[in-house]
Amino acid sequence: MFFDRPESGELAILVHIDFDFEAQRDDPREFEELALSAGADPIDLIGGQRHKPDPKYFVGSGKMEEIRVAVEEHGAELVLFNHSLSPSQERNLESVLQCRVLDRTGLILDIFAQRARTHEGKLQVELAQLEHMSTRLVRGWTHLERQKGGIGLRGPGETQLETDRRLLRERIKSITKRLDKVHKVRQLGRRARKRAETPVVSIVGYTNAGKSTLFNRITQSDVYEADQLFATLDPTMRRISLPSAGTAILADTVGFIRHLPHKLVESFRATLEEAAEADLLLHVIDCAAEERLDNIDEVNKVLAEIDAGDIPTLEVYNKIDLMPDQLPRIELGADGRPLRVWVSARDGAGLDKLIEAISLSLGDQKLEGDIVLTPAQGAIRARLFRHEAVLDERYDEQGNSVLRLRISAEDLKRLAAGDYPLEQLAWWSDPALES
């Protein structure tokens, strides 16, 4: 930190206030799970109700006294608010309670800082932390607000607060440049996948919905998974094979949560672009959660914020092992497209149906037919094999190669452009329409 604040420990008092203007109330249980995920030891939950926040302390004088007494009785070293506090409110609370005070945004940032493993993830977390911290420098150096003077003490002509602000700006600028390079590298990777026409399937969903467990089941990987909020922070990608749809890339992404700080979304935009650029989203839903409808709405809000709201989505209702009346199944829409799949990532029930639904979602626009290539058109043959579009190959009496393909007409035109008379593609038909 750039200035002194009370030491924080694990013993924590949780504060959750309901306001009259809130159309949707937060769940205190989720707040407690957040505290546990950060490593805190919640020893008391103080609730209440107000018309609006107090501008100085966020809570009223009576509630402030209740919190102060609880801190003294339990010897708490940390007070967590399930709300966003202004910098002045945070400082005022700390001066009265004589312990560290953290709001919901700061708590989520702390969890992200613990979970970051890759260089990119650490940069993104640091950027979000610095931008959050920059609003909390005011009054942090009031005891050093004057410029230094005297022989041998004359400084650069700026206060300590101005120095810290300048250092923060320079560090934020440096991290932003490095993340821009990461963004460009990711763009190159996406272009390469588009050239190879390898579809990308991104797993999204509310935090702790079972995304990483599902990812590990499908890809036979060992990505870290745990029954805690934000167990996954860094994105992971694996290649998978799908029946009738060829090869695809499966991406595991960070979970979403209610009131996800906007700065956090901005900082993680490079990572979240993996979802925004996907060909198909697997929206994993904890079907056993009472608040699953609210969680679905929150995920859709974040997807809309990162311009991923229009991407085809397959809903995956996970954890049916907690609901004995639910069986693995695929639900189809009126057009025959898969809408949702019911599975259990923990015991593997329904994963075969999920793979089938993904294949149908990615392959429903692919067409099937034969194409005849002369020996001189070997370049087209090689491109089609690299694209994994060839189902079968045989040779006719003239020595021509007859390829049985499953591929979209658009991809075939792109792969054969300049080397194949496109008017010969008029025979192309969709077997689904023929049936």
Side-chain angles (χ1 to χ4, degrees), residues 13 36 51 55 132 181 186 212 225 244 298 330:
I13 301 292
L36 291 170
H51 294 295
H132 181 66
K181 291 182 180 179
R186 286 191 177 277
S212 294
E225 56 183 83
S244 75
E298 290 299 326
I330 300 176

Side-chain angles (χ1 to χ4, degrees), residues 12-85:
I13 301 292
L14 309 185
V15 180
H16 174 85
I17 307 296
D18 288 325
F19 293 98
D20 296 341
F21 59 82
E22 290 179 326
Q24 182 179 334
R25 302 287 172 85
D26 286 336
D27 186 359
R29 291 174 300 175
E30 180 182 85
F31 180 43
E32 186 175 355
E33 289 179 16
L34 275 175
L36 291 170
S37 294
D41 182 13
I43 52 178
D44 197 3
L45 173 63
I46 296 177
Q49 190 166 354
R50 283 183 62 87
H51 294 295
K52 60 180 180 179
D54 179 77
K56 187 174 183 180
Y57 294 113
F58 191 81
V59 295
S61 57
K63 190 61 63 177
M64 167 68 78
E65 180 63 19
E66 183 181 348
I67 298 172
R68 189 189 65 78
V69 170
V71 169
E72 290 183 356
E73 285 183 354
H74 298 288
E77 306 151 297
L78 179 65
V79 176
L80 300 174
F81 278 73
N82 193 22
H83 312 275
S84 293
L85 300 176

